Amino acid sequence: MSHVIPNAVARRLLIHEQALSDPPHRAQSLPELGDVITRLGYVQVDSIAIVERAHHQILFARNKTYKQPQLHRLIERERALFEHWTHDASVIPVAFYPYWKHRFAREKLRLAERWPTYFGNDFAHSADAILERIRRDGPVMARDFEARDKPSTGWWDWHPSKAALEYLWRTGELQIARREGFQKVYDLTERVIAAQYRDQTVDHDAFVDWACTAALTRLGFGTRGQIAAFFALLKPAEVEQWIAAKHHRLVVVQVESSDGSKPRAAYAFPEIIETLDALPEPPARVRVLSPFDPLLRDRARAERVFDFHYRIEVFVPEAKRKFGYYVFPVMRGDRIIGRIDMKADRPNNVMSVRRFWPERGCRLSKAVISGLEAEIERLRRFTGVERTAFASDWLEP
């Protein structure tokens, strides 16, 4: 017999699992920030900084005392995090590094087969020389090689050394020691990852069990596909085999959708079910989320649970955009109440707010407007610009 999770409970569960029910103003130590990232599983990094880069905005949405240098310290000084791929480039707890070694091995097979088609064999020939240079002279960036290689003009026009650096990073020979601006600085893995993680070996079955368990714990409830996609470490067949082997540890739940349509079946751990009656109410405050916030990373799931359809229109021609180049989801309590077009205009030292679009059912009450204005002010201070400028029609339908 499956357990039914009402939609309101499903919303609270996802918000809780994504650390968005925690007190947002409580002072947070550096180890506690690391604990939040471990709880999330990873934090996606992205170069776009319309308000702030995604990784910083994700962490700020959870705790308003967060400051950008804290993440840099965890990565570059404490070495508590490393950067690699999940579904996209992310910072990941270094304790997870032994499991990523399985990804490195798979990438080595995949890239060795595919990349010569795109880059020829020059990138492979460059790899040994690059490793020797880094071993001898220290960390490098791709631009250190551009004087001798032809400049890159895009993904498939990387210069050979850039392709070699990426190959060595994706296969675990190199790590990203830090970033300058947003440029990767590569160094030998043994200089970045502590030996206790670098030397640890996990067999295939333990790797699959960890990846499935860690994913489902953070999802709260999930389908086979969602479990496989969470870290993007697993093949669908591996998840199928894990479910078959662990079926006695799992329960099937029926998750009600926001639109009242037929509930969707998913898997969960029994201990999750036991927490449903005691889930905390999310803070009632307004929060502007990054488009890459893990709460919304699975767009289809977010639409079913929160009745919120979202896509980034960066690559949509301007004339065809419904909202804007890069608009931010806005959350209040356990609801997504709208989206906002705003930008930290750093050259002019201003937070420019162009438009807020409320979702169906969101009434622009004084409480909603004042909460939204308070969050914009918090973001203004976080980004460091001096003032806010609102378009005259920013709240008009």
Side-chain angles (χ1 to χ4, degrees):
M1 180 176 177
S2 60
H3 187 100
V4 176
I5 301 181
N7 178 250
V9 175
R11 292 197 307 272
R12 287 200 301 273
L13 176 60
L14 296 192
I15 290 168
H16 176 66
E17 295 297 338
Q18 293 300 319
L20 285 162
S21 288
D22 296 355
H25 284 297
R26 185 177 63 83
Q28 186 178 64
S29 68
L30 202 62
E32 288 171 332
L33 174 61
D35 290 343
V36 169
I37 297 171
T38 298
R39 181 173 164 189
L40 296 176
Y42 61 86
V43 172
Q44 183 175 339
V45 300
D46 193 78
S47 61
I48 298 176
I50 301 299
V51 167
E52 180 54 273
R53 288 194 169 117
H55 37 293
H56 294 310
Q57 194 171 347
I58 288 167
L59 296 171
F60 182 72
R62 285 151 178 80
N63 190 294
K64 302 306 174 185
T65 72
Y66 168 76
K67 301 297 182 186
Q68 296 90 330
Q70 291 179 295
L71 183 61
H72 297 307
R73 182 173 175 181
L74 281 177
I75 297 169
E76 298 171 14
R77 293 179 57 186
E78 305 295 327
R79 297 298 188 201
L81 307 169
F82 73 105
E83 185 175 333
H84 218 273
W85 284 92
T86 55
H87 68 291
D88 211 315
S90 303
V91 289
I92 305 160
V94 73
F96 297 177
Y97 183 84
Y99 304 101
W100 253 255
K101 291 164 78 172
H102 288 264
R103 184 185 187 111
F104 302 155
R106 290 178 178 180
E107 284 287 270
K108 192 167 188 175
L109 292 172
R110 186 180 72 87
L111 299 183
E113 178 180 338
R114 294 183 60 190
W115 277 25
T117 302
Y118 303 117
F119 304 120
N121 290 316
D122 286 345
F123 86 91
H125 296 157
S126 300
D128 289 342
I130 286 174
L131 282 173
E132 180 56 34
R133 171 173 169 174
I134 295 173
R135 190 172 288 111
R136 182 185 67 244
D137 299 333
V140 301
M141 292 185 284
R143 70 188 184 198
D144 295 332
F145 300 92
E146 289 177 2
R148 75 178 188 206
D149 291 335
K150 75 181 181 68
S152 170
T153 58
W155 169 262
W156 298 123
D157 194 29
W158 280 351
H159 54 76
S161 297
K162 168 64 174 176
L165 284 166
E166 284 291 302
Y167 174 81
L168 290 167
W169 171 57
R170 294 190 189 200
T171 58
E173 296 281 353
L174 298 178
Q175 295 298 318
I176 298 173
R178 64 183 187 279
R179 286 183 181 258
E180 293 187 4
F182 206 68
Q183 297 294 309
K184 297 172 183 173
V185 179
Y186 301 88
D187 203 352
L188 299 177
T189 294
E190 57 261 37
R191 294 176 183 161
V192 177
I193 305 297
Q196 69 181 100
Y197 305 114
R198 192 178 69 247
D199 297 340
Q200 185 178 342
T201 300
V202 177
D203 68 28
H204 178 264
D205 289 346
F207 157 68
V208 172
D209 184 50
W210 176 85
C212 289
T213 301
L216 186 55
T217 299
R218 289 162 176 81
L219 287 165
F221 53 83
T223 64
R224 293 172 175 85
Q226 289 164 350
I227 294 170
F230 184 83
F231 288 116
L233 288 173
L234 299 168
K235 300 174 183 177
E238 291 172 322
V239 179
E240 291 279 1
Q241 292 163 6
W242 179 80
I243 290 171
K246 303 292 183 179
H247 68 276
H248 59 286
R249 289 187 53 215
L250 304 173
V251 294
V252 176
V253 295
Q254 300 291 332
V255 184
E256 291 184 348
S257 298
S258 58
D259 62 1
S261 60
K262 183 179 178 181
R264 298 291 186 97
Y267 295 99
F269 289 118
E271 51 267 33
I272 290 290
I273 304 303
E274 295 169 5
T275 70
L276 296 181
D277 291 336
L279 288 170
E281 287 286 341
R285 60 174 303 147
V286 172
R287 280 180 275 196
V288 173
L289 303 180
S290 164
F292 300 110
D293 194 286
L295 183 72
L296 306 174
R297 172 239 185 285
D298 185 332
R299 305 292 195 217
R301 189 181 202 227
E303 186 166 1
R304 286 194 300 272
V305 175
F306 292 98
D307 192 23
F308 181 70
H309 175 77
Y310 181 80
R311 69 169 174 166
I312 297 174
E313 296 183 303
V314 169
F315 302 111
V316 177
E318 185 173 1
K320 295 184 178 181
R321 289 175 189 154
K322 184 176 180 180
F323 297 105
Y325 172 80
Y326 196 90
V327 300
F328 299 88
V330 179
M331 178 179 174
R332 182 174 187 249
D334 67 350
R335 297 280 186 175
I336 309 295
I337 63 167
R339 61 201 84 202
I340 190 167
D341 185 358
M342 59 189 294
K343 178 180 181 179
D345 182 354
R346 290 173 175 83
N348 293 307
N349 220 5
V350 62
M351 182 69 74
S352 175
V353 181
R354 301 184 181 99
R355 179 66 69 90
F356 173 72
W357 294 269
E359 286 292 288
R360 182 179 65 251
C362 172
R363 186 173 67 86
L364 290 177
S365 65
K366 289 183 179 179
V368 168
I369 295 171
S370 64
L372 184 55
E373 290 173 339
E375 175 70 351
I376 292 167
E377 173 61 16
R378 284 187 287 268
L379 281 166
R380 180 199 66 76
R381 293 196 299 267
F382 182 59
T383 60
V385 297
E386 289 186 353
R387 61 188 181 88
T388 303
F390 293 88
S392 60
D393 59 348
W394 78 284
L395 283 177
E396 291 184 10

